[in-house]
Each structure stands twice: as structure tokens, then as C-alpha cells.
Amino acid sequence: MPSEPRFTFAPPATVFVPVVGQDTLFPVHRIYCVGRNYEEHAKEMGFTGREPPFFFLKPADAIVVAETDQTATIDYPRQTSNLHHEIELVVAIGTGGRNIQAADAHKHIFGYAVGLDMTRRDLQNDMKKQGRPWCIGKAFDQSAPIGPITPAAQAGDIARADIWVQVNGVDRQRSNISKLIWNIAETIEHLSAAWDLQPGDLIYTGTPEGVAAVKTGDVMDGGVSGLTPIHVEVVAA
Ligand code: MN
């Protein structure tokens, strides 16, 4: 009889996100992010035209859950003086697969949430200039705030939902999910061509124009119509 495995130290806790209207928790496997997926944001980053979608990852434990009707906090991160908000629709994968066709993508979606792809823009820009990986700009601790996941059937017409973030009550980003360059189904098709998607994967689908800096003490109120909004305050580390 095999004995219970013994670990060199306690294994890390599973990262999870609450689910709206259910008492189960969504365990997070990976966090995939789509780059430059709204035209006006691509332009503000200095790019034009429809390029094939490209992806980067954040570690699952970069998640910070913003509970319903509460203000979550993130520490102002180290090594940056240009911390940007990127409000994003997050797709939660419930059924894995590879080479998923866009027409079948809906079968793999568990639900949707509001997320922030927090970015150390100065470090990301340094890495871009040098042709180096974006990890230090994108994949840092607490870089992936997220609200509760709404099951797809209850999320309404997400493909035409408004998306926005305010900072201290003032609009910073406001757009519509219909303006995604690569829509949700196409994104899943491209992503699953390169990786085997697994239950628990999250896809941050990209941000519209209006990305800008936040500082310590700022409160970000983000939303996608039909989903639970998030409130996140940046605090001194
Ligand atoms: Mn992003």
C-alpha cells in the first residue's frame, strides 16, 4: 500500500475565487492574459492593425479576490513608479480542451468575472525595448485582482456588455466588450491551439484604452455590466 506523500514543507494553498449564487469555490489553475486586444488601446501603446492574438501568463497566486461589496487592497508594488490599471473581462474555463474551435468555445466556459491586469508599466516598457520577457512588468505579486465569478448562464449578453473602471470616482476606462479585436470564442480557439486548457484556467481578455497610473490611496471601481463590480484600493506596502 502506498504511503501518504510527505512534503519537504507544507504545499501552498489552492488559490480560489468565489462563485456568485453558489457555495462552491472556483479553484484557479493558470492565468492567461491577452495582449493588445482593443484597437484604441493598441493605438495608445503605439501599435495599429489587427495582429494575431498573443498571450502572457501570471502566476495563479497573483490573484487578489475582491469580495462583493468590500474593498480589497493591493500593496503598491516595489521597483515601479508607474503602476497602471487595466480593466478586463475575465473568462473562467470550466471544461478543458485543446484545439477548441470558436464555434464550440462556449461549451468550455464556466463563467465570467471582472479583473484588473495591474502592470508595472515602466518595467514592462524597459523589457519591451530590450526584447526581454514581460514577467517583471506583468506577473508580480497581487497583480491580478478579480471579483466573484458569475456562471455564464446568469451573465447576460456578455459579448455586448459595457466595461469600465473609475479611479477615485472619475472615469478612466470605458468601452464595450463588442470592441474586442479577438472575441471570447476566437481567443479560446487561439489559446487552446497553443496550450491544453484546463478547468480552473482564467483568461484576462485584454483592456480597452485609457490605461493610466494609480498611486497609494487610490481606489479603483471596476465593472462589466451583468457581473459583480470590484473595488480595489492601492495601499502602502
Ligand atoms: Mn492586459
Side-chain angles (χ1 to χ4, degrees):
M1 227 166 116
S3 59
E4 282 292 302
R6 293 169 62 242
F7 297 104
T8 48
F9 49 85
T14 301
V15 175
F16 54 81
V17 180
V19 177
V20 175
Q22 298 184 10
D23 58 3
T24 56
L25 299 167
F26 182 94
V28 179
H29 177 241
R30 290 180 184 164
I31 304 173
Y32 295 99
C33 302
V34 187
R36 297 196 289 266
N37 204 15
Y38 289 81
E39 186 178 357
E40 294 304 316
H41 173 63
K43 284 180 185 167
E44 74 181 354
M45 292 286 107
F47 295 84
T48 54
R50 195 190 210 210
E51 50 185 346
F54 66 92
F55 306 99
F56 58 92
L57 289 95
K58 294 182 187 245
D61 65 0
I63 288 284
V64 174
V65 173
E67 300 277 358
T68 305
D69 294 331
Q70 292 181 31
T71 301
T73 61
I74 58 171
D75 294 339
Y76 194 94
R78 285 167 283 169
Q79 298 191 326
T80 184
S81 54
N82 198 17
L83 176 66
H84 274 202
H85 54 76
E86 294 192 357
I87 190 69
E88 308 204 0
L89 169 68
V90 182
V91 177
I93 296 295
T95 305
R98 67 162 65 175
N99 295 326
I100 298 164
Q101 297 304 297
D104 297 323
H106 63 281
K107 298 174 191 165
H108 297 264
I109 298 172
F110 173 81
Y112 303 99
V114 178
L116 281 162
D117 166 15
M118 298 305 296
T119 302
R120 293 193 282 206
R121 191 72 71 198
D122 41 2
L123 299 183
Q124 184 201 21
N125 286 343
D126 287 347
M127 293 299 109
K128 278 185 184 174
K129 273 184 219 145
Q130 299 177 70
R132 289 179 175 171
W134 289 5
C135 307
I136 199 168
K138 287 289 196 181
F140 54 94
D141 295 338
Q142 301 187 319
S143 62
I146 190 171
I149 296 169
T150 297
Q154 291 141 245
D157 188 4
I158 207 75
R160 283 167 191 76
D162 290 326
I163 181 170
W164 68 89
V165 66
Q166 297 184 323
V167 176
N168 305 328
V170 177
D171 267 20
R172 287 280 186 90
Q173 297 182 267
R174 186 170 290 275
S175 188
N176 190 278
I177 303 303
S178 64
K179 294 185 177 173
L180 281 169
I181 295 172
W182 297 95
N183 68 28
I184 296 162
E186 291 167 335
T187 295
I188 289 171
E189 178 171 319
H190 278 90
L191 193 56
S192 70
W195 287 273
D196 286 3
L197 290 185
Q198 302 285 345
D201 286 340
L202 298 175
I203 307 169
Y204 281 60
T205 54
T207 198
E209 69 275 16
V211 298
V214 285
K215 58 187 190 310
T216 299
D218 284 350
V219 177
M220 298 173 283
D221 295 314
V224 171
S225 43
L227 307 182
T228 304
I230 60 173
H231 313 284
V232 180
E233 181 176 1
V234 182
V235 300

